[in-house]
Amino acid sequence: MALPIQPQRATALLNALTFADEATAIYSSEDIIIEYANAAMLTFWGKDDTIIGQPLEVGVPELKDQPFKAMLQQVLRTGKTDEGIIATETRIDNILQTRHYAYKFRAVLGEDGKPELILHTATDVTERLQGEAALREAQEQSEALNQEQQLNEELASVNEELTATNEELRQTQEQLAILNTDLEQKVQLRTYDLAQSEITLQAVNEELSAINEELTATNEELFASQSQLQQLVTDLAASENQVRQIVASAPFPIGVYVGREMRIQLVNQSIIDVWGKGNDVVGKTYHEVLPELEGSGIYEQLDNVFTTGEPFHARNQRVDLVVDDVLQPFYFNYSFTPLYDQSGEIYGVMNTAAEVTDVVTARMNSEENERRFQFLLNALPQQLWTASPDGILDYVNDVVISDFGHPAEIIIELGWQAFVHPDDLPAAVNKWQRAIKTKKEYLNQFRLKFSDGNYYWHLARAVPMVVDGHVTFWLGTNTNIHQQKTNEDKKDEFISIASHELKTPLTTIKAFFQLSKREADINSKLHPLIEKTDRQLDRLGRLIDDLLDVSKINAGKMVYNIEDFDFGQMLADTVESIQQTTKKQHIELHTTCDIMLRGDQHRLEQVLINLLNNAIKYGPDADKIIVHCTIESGNIIVSVQDFGIGIAEEHLKGLFDRFYRVDNSSARFQGLGLGLFISNEIVKRHAGSFWIESEPGKGSTFYFLLPLNGKQHFTDIATDNHTYYQGSFINIHYKAQGHYMDVEWIGYQNYESVVKGCEIMLNLMSKNNCSLVLNDNTLVKGNWSEAADWGAEVWFPAMAEAGLKKFAWIYSPSTFSRIAANKSLPSEYDAVQVAFFDSKDTALQWLTK
Ligand code: ADP
């Protein structure tokens, strides 16, 4: 701390201070009166000594806003020195400047020992301070430089690394450089051109930009292929590993043999198994492992692949290998493929194979079977053919080829229709299409045109080969029945001539016998003989008549003598006259048919006689025959019931055919099998029909129907044309609940009624969008079999087309109706299910379940 200055020495000091460099001033009193200021201080203030004696703030008004006065007053009050550096605004050379001063305010004590004056010294330190700041800045800069130096060194080493990296890129860029050089040359050329012409400038610029674009694109491509290459290398490593695994686990044999000596380098389990030489094969040569292949040509194949580089492929090749110590034949598809190293040299051969022993053996077997089959087909004397499931001819045997005189391909291309007689073709096509649809046997007769230009009758038969419910092909035969047919025609001709020739002498003999009978004495021994012979002559006459009738029917020359006659009377008379011929059997006649009929009385008599004679003949042990005659729905219904041997169901259909006789009866019963054929023809010509109910061992009932008005009538009763139809022969109702058609047939049907009823059924079914039909035949009587073919060929397919899905058929008790039902409905037809029932309840259950 500074000591207060003694007043007596003040004047001398003041003088000394006047010239001091240090600015000095002295102030007194609270008002800070400037008692003294040396030149340096005045210069600071920019004032002259006129301000001495003035308060500080008056003399130096610039200090007014500065804290000096308060600071000085503080020193005067406390006596404590105040020093420091202060920035002050000072006007120098009339410019207001901020300067820094180191100041000191020191109290000068009075006599009373209290502060009386203040000594103010000040030095301008602005420059000094600025110097210090500059020095500090310089130091900081130097430090920063040092750091930068260090950083630069680090950067240099990074740069070196970068240079090395760049060097790697350099090679790649060399190509770029070449391109660039090329570009530069182009640019130079263009620049030269530019100088030549202002106009070309534009073009050059454009090309330049195009080249630049190319260059950019090339660069991009280059970059892309570089990264692709990188990816490839990575992938390659992965896939090499995968390949090894694939080879090892491949289910087919793989082997790799290296060097011309074919040293085994890589094999999988599959090839080891095929060779059957154990696992220890790697490192050995192919020849060492498989010495049995010597002479098979395989060594040479391998060597050839190795030396020429041409791969070798073999198919179904037999290779004999020693497996389990036995030389056995195997079959392989195999390949030998050359393997190349990086320099493009072949270093080995890869062997891949597939064992096909089973396949080849199976094929050889099937070829052998095929040969045998072909042999069989061609050894048959018949025409034999096959067709695809949809009926297209695809094979014919040698018989067909030789009959038609064309190669198989031509026949197959033309199809069998090309050889069928035009008259027989429509029916044949129809039947064939039906067989295809129903997948059932095809049976037909037609004439086929042979290479000699003539037509020959054939019986065609085809059956489908069905596997898992699907037809795989059709096998058909055409049997030449021409001889048979010709014989039949000849037979008819012979019968016709013979019966005519027999008829004339028989008539003469008969006349002589009538005369002899009259002449002979009734008691003579001759009389019974004459009677017997006469009966035999009658029989002979009937036989000849039958034969004549048949030939007339065949020739369409049967003449009918139509007139009104008393049917009841005719019936009674016929029964009575037949009763004359038998004593054993009694013929009961039950009739309500006291009625006139328009028809051929003689021919209808013939029908009755035939039925009654059969009833007697085939019921030798029975004692009665019942004849019924009723009138139902405008028809005469006649039945002849016997209690004889009966007829099995399978024979019923054929009874009306010419010369048809049930086998077992032929030995015991005489006859030609013509009676029913003729009777049926006669009834048909009266618009009627025939049917039979029979049980073997119990007897038979033969029925025939004759419409009273020459035609059966079927009348409409009511219909709304949408949900129901009621007729005299059928009732049809759409049952909304259960969504099915309820169809009930009533009484005696024929072709006309069946067609009419079926068409109404189809119509109502479609209108109601219905797919289910309940077809009830419980009340059906008689025989409508002439409509069965139409049903199967026309109507049923139309029903299927209209959306029929299920068809339940309740059988009629009539056997002939049942037979017709089975004939008119295929058991399987596209998507339609068909089933037959005996009761309506079970049928309905099946239909609506
Ligand atoms: P046939 O002269 O042989 O009697 P038909 O045409 O009259 O010729 O009859 C054909 C066949 O029908 C007969 O051979 C016989 O087998 C059978 N047949 C006909 N009527 C009867 C019957 N009432 N009972 C049993 N079988 C009969």
Side-chain angles (χ1 to χ4, degrees):
M1 184 188 283
L3 290 171
I5 299 161
Q6 294 301 315
Q8 55 263 43
R9 294 180 65 194
T11 309
L13 283 170
L14 284 177
N15 286 335
L17 286 174
T18 305
F19 303 103
D21 284 342
E22 198 173 38
T24 309
I26 295 169
Y27 314 110
S28 66
S29 84
E30 282 282 303
D31 294 333
I32 314 297
I33 306 292
I34 305 164
E35 293 294 343
Y36 169 78
N38 72 354
M41 186 61 87
L42 288 173
T43 308
F44 273 158
W45 287 337
K47 309 286 177 198
D48 56 27
D49 56 6
T50 55
I51 65 163
I52 309 273
Q54 290 180 4
L56 180 65
E57 288 181 354
V58 178
V60 190
E62 292 86 347
L63 299 177
K64 208 173 183 177
D65 296 332
Q66 297 183 30
F68 290 117
K69 189 182 176 183
M71 288 160 71
L72 289 167
Q73 281 170 339
Q74 176 76 3
V75 173
L76 205 59
R77 241 175 271 135
T78 64
K80 284 184 180 165
T81 304
D82 180 359
E83 61 185 335
I85 292 171
I86 192 164
T88 176
E89 303 270 314
T90 312
R91 197 170 289 275
I92 300 167
D93 298 334
N94 225 12
I95 297 163
L96 197 64
Q97 295 176 6
T98 300
R99 295 200 67 86
H100 292 85
Y101 297 99
Y103 72 89
K104 194 178 261 180
F105 299 142
R106 209 179 304 171
V108 179
L109 302 179
E111 282 177 2
D112 52 1
K114 286 181 182 164
E116 192 183 310
L117 295 169
I118 299 160
L119 177 66
H120 171 198
T121 53
T123 316
D124 187 343
V125 293
T126 305
E127 271 78 25
R128 199 187 84 205
L129 285 179
Q130 279 173 350
E132 278 171 7
L135 193 67
R136 249 194 329 273
E137 201 176 312
Q139 267 172 351
E140 277 169 10
Q141 270 179 2
S142 150
E143 272 168 33
L145 262 170
N146 281 343
Q147 275 179 356
E148 199 178 306
Q149 179 74 17
Q150 221 172 329
L151 263 174
N152 276 342
E153 275 165 20
E154 276 174 40
L155 266 174
S157 77
V158 172
N159 267 340
E160 265 168 37
E161 274 175 48
L162 268 174
T163 314
T165 315
N166 279 340
E167 181 57 27
E168 280 175 37
L169 277 172
R170 194 183 56 79
Q171 288 186 339
T172 317
Q173 283 171 343
E174 258 171 28
Q175 270 184 304
L176 207 63
I178 293 164
L179 279 170
N180 271 333
T181 316
D182 187 30
L183 180 71
E184 271 166 20
Q185 281 169 359
K186 283 183 183 165
V187 171
Q188 273 176 3
L189 216 63
R190 295 288 174 258
T191 315
Y192 174 75
D193 287 348
L194 186 71
Q196 300 300 314
S197 160
E198 267 290 309
I199 304 157
T200 48
L201 181 70
Q202 184 75 17
V204 171
N205 271 341
E206 279 168 14
E207 246 178 87
L208 198 65
S209 97
I211 290 163
N212 266 337
E213 268 171 32
E214 268 176 50
L215 194 68
T216 315
T218 313
N219 271 339
E220 277 168 12
E221 271 174 43
L222 203 66
F223 184 73
S225 27
Q226 259 180 354
S227 47
Q228 271 176 358
L229 196 69
Q230 188 72 28
Q231 186 60 40
L232 274 174
V233 172
T234 321
D235 290 352
L236 199 66
S239 66
E240 197 179 296
N241 191 31
Q242 276 176 352
V243 167
R244 279 191 174 274
Q245 281 180 8
I246 288 166
V247 167
S249 58
F252 53 88
I254 301 176
V256 170
Y257 323 128
V258 295
R260 195 163 175 183
E261 78 274 22
M262 294 290 122
R263 197 161 290 285
I264 297 163
Q265 188 192 48
L266 178 69
V267 282
N268 67 356
Q269 193 56 44
S270 183
I271 207 166
I272 286 172
D273 294 345
V274 164
W275 287 346
K277 304 293 191 296
N279 289 342
D280 189 21
V281 292
V282 173
K284 295 180 182 168
T285 69
Y286 189 79
H287 310 59
E288 279 165 9
V289 175
L290 300 162
E292 66 265 40
L293 296 184
E294 184 71 56
S296 68
I298 292 177
Y299 297 160
E300 292 74 13
Q301 290 161 3
L302 276 170
D303 193 56
N304 200 42
V305 173
F306 189 85
T307 50
T308 66
E310 273 179 32
F312 178 84
H313 305 287
R315 291 194 62 79
N316 303 327
Q317 187 68 46
R318 180 177 164 157
V319 179
D320 291 348
L321 293 171
V322 175
V323 175
D324 300 332
D325 295 332
V326 185
L327 189 66
Q328 303 173 40
F330 295 91
Y331 290 87
F332 294 97
N333 292 341
Y334 65 84
S335 295
F336 293 143
T337 322
L339 296 171
Y340 294 91
D341 61 18
Q342 276 131 335
S343 59
E345 295 292 318
I346 296 173
Y347 73 91
V349 174
M350 181 169 71
N351 176 194
T352 51
E355 202 199 322
V356 291
T357 310
D358 289 349
V359 180
V360 172
T361 327
R363 204 188 57 209
M364 288 194 311
N365 286 342
S366 104
E367 278 169 4
E368 176 57 21
N369 284 342
E370 174 77 16
R371 271 195 296 278
R372 290 165 73 101
F373 186 57
Q374 284 288 340
F375 174 76
L376 272 173
L377 295 184
N378 289 318
L380 285 171
Q382 288 154 305
Q383 287 193 356
L384 199 137
W385 48 272
T386 62
S388 60
D390 50 355
I392 310 295
L393 189 67
D394 54 17
Y395 167 83
V396 289
N397 72 349
D398 289 350
V399 183
V400 181
I401 295 167
S402 95
D403 284 349
F404 293 167
H406 290 294
E409 309 78 63
I410 301 286
I411 297 169
I412 287 166
E413 200 189 314
L414 293 172
W416 56 267
Q417 288 94 329
F419 302 91
V420 174
H421 193 289
D423 290 352
D424 307 336
L425 192 59
V429 170
N430 212 337
K431 283 188 178 173
W432 180 227
Q433 279 169 355
R434 194 179 146 205
I436 290 162
K437 280 226 153 180
T438 58
K439 300 172 191 159
K440 283 195 168 167
E441 184 193 44
Y442 163 71
L443 204 62
N444 190 28
Q445 291 188 9
F446 48 48
R447 282 161 285 176
L448 290 175
K449 191 177 187 175
F450 277 21
S451 56
D452 63 4
N454 294 321
Y455 282 98
Y456 296 92
W457 277 103
H458 280 78
L459 172 71
R461 182 173 179 260
V463 282
M465 163 95 180
V466 180
V467 177
D468 297 335
H470 296 283
V471 173
T472 53
F473 74 97
W474 287 84
L475 175 70
T477 52
N478 296 338
T479 311
N480 193 327
I481 52 163
H482 197 73
Q483 194 61 38
Q484 231 169 297
K485 276 266 181 189
T486 325
N487 288 349
E488 241 168 71
D489 291 347
K490 280 187 186 151
K491 192 170 72 188
D492 283 346
E493 208 183 316
F494 169 77
I495 290 169
S496 170
I497 294 166
S499 46
H500 263 113
E501 292 302 313
L502 287 169
K503 183 93 186 166
T504 326
L506 184 72
T507 319
T508 320
I509 297 168
K510 184 91 179 143
F512 284 142
F513 259 85
Q514 296 296 331
L515 261 176
S516 314
K517 224 161 76 173
R518 240 179 285 153
E519 296 298 313
D521 186 347
I522 193 97
N523 296 316
S524 135
K525 279 186 182 170
L526 273 176
H527 205 267
L529 288 175
I530 293 169
E531 282 276 314
K532 230 179 184 173
T533 315
D534 194 25
R535 277 204 301 279
Q536 290 303 318
L537 280 176
D538 280 349
R539 231 190 113 214
L540 187 64
R542 278 201 304 276
L543 282 177
I544 294 169
D545 283 347
D546 277 359
L547 286 170
L548 263 175
D549 284 349
V550 169
S551 47
K552 277 185 207 155
I553 288 168
N554 285 342
K557 286 179 186 158
M558 185 91 137
V559 182
Y560 291 87
N561 188 12
I562 304 293
E563 55 189 9
D564 290 328
F565 70 96
D566 188 335
F567 189 83
Q569 189 62 49
M570 183 276 283
L571 190 65
D573 292 350
T574 313
V575 167
E576 199 189 319
S577 82
I578 297 298
Q579 182 68 76
Q580 304 282 313
T581 65
T582 171
K583 291 198 174 65
K584 194 168 187 230
Q585 288 124 320
H586 173 64
I587 308 172
E588 286 177 20
L589 174 63
H590 305 274
T591 176
T592 53
C593 297
D594 198 4
I595 201 162
M596 296 296 285
L597 179 76
R598 192 168 174 74
D600 187 325
Q601 179 175 357
H602 173 67
R603 290 293 179 192
L604 290 172
E605 246 173 54
Q606 198 184 334
V607 172
L608 259 177
I609 292 167
N610 185 39
L611 291 185
L612 288 167
N613 280 336
N614 280 349
I616 295 166
K617 186 162 63 170
Y618 298 105
D621 303 328
D623 55 7
K624 73 171 171 185
I625 292 159
I626 303 169
V627 178
H628 268 280
C629 183
T630 53
I631 299 185
E632 290 181 44
S633 322
N635 307 303
I636 295 175
I637 312 290
V638 180
S639 67
V640 177
Q641 184 180 13
D642 66 55
F643 301 88
I645 60 168
I647 306 157
E649 190 170 318
E650 68 263 28
H651 292 297
L652 288 180
K653 269 196 296 178
L655 287 191
F656 300 105
D657 293 345
R658 229 166 20 143
F659 305 115
Y660 189 94
R661 309 200 74 227
V662 177
D663 292 346
N664 61 7
S665 63
S666 60
R668 282 193 290 159
F669 307 100
Q670 291 174 328
L672 289 177
L674 292 176
L676 287 178
F677 170 72
I678 297 165
S679 302
N680 190 39
E681 283 297 320
I682 294 168
V683 168
K684 270 206 284 190
R685 285 299 289 264
H686 286 82
S689 55
F690 240 112
W691 67 98
I692 309 164
E693 296 298 335
S694 186
E695 214 180 307
K698 290 202 170 154
S700 316
T701 309
F702 283 73
Y703 295 86
F704 65 89
L705 171 151
L706 298 170
L708 277 173
N709 300 322
K711 187 178 187 295
Q712 273 180 264
H713 283 282
F714 306 101
T715 47
D716 306 322
I717 297 170
T719 181
D720 67 352
N721 272 320
H722 192 259
T723 60
Y724 76 94
Y725 170 88
Q726 257 183 289
S728 62
F729 62 107
I730 198 170
N731 285 327
I732 306 176
H733 284 95
Y734 169 63
K735 301 277 182 181
Q737 197 185 4
H739 200 51
Y740 67 94
M741 302 303 300
D742 190 354
V743 182
E744 185 185 43
W745 298 84
I746 308 155
Y748 298 99
Q749 309 289 334
N750 67 2
Y751 183 85
E752 190 195 329
S753 71
V754 170
V755 171
K756 181 172 174 170
C758 281
E759 278 170 355
I760 297 169
M761 188 198 309
L762 174 62
N763 179 26
L764 297 189
M765 190 186 86
S766 304
K767 279 185 177 163
N768 290 288
N769 228 344
C770 179
S771 61
L772 313 175
V773 174
L774 185 73
N775 192 56
D776 187 356
N777 277 22
T778 315
L779 299 179
V780 170
K781 291 179 181 171
N783 176 13
W784 50 271
S785 56
E786 72 241 39
D789 284 345
W790 172 85
E793 278 158 28
V794 181
W795 167 74
F796 197 75
M799 291 283 281
E801 182 101 324
L804 177 68
K805 290 278 166 290
K806 274 175 130 183
F807 197 90
W809 189 305
I810 304 146
Y811 276 133
S812 154
S814 153
T815 311
F816 266 64
S817 182
R818 275 210 307 276
I819 292 170
N822 292 336
K823 207 175 158 202
S824 62
L825 278 203
S827 60
E828 195 187 345
Y829 188 94
D830 291 350
V832 186
Q833 293 179 57
V834 175
F836 293 92
F837 301 89
D838 286 317
S839 102
K840 192 166 176 168
D841 287 347
T842 41
L844 193 58
Q845 262 178 23
W846 172 84
L847 190 72
T848 52
K849 83 169 170 235

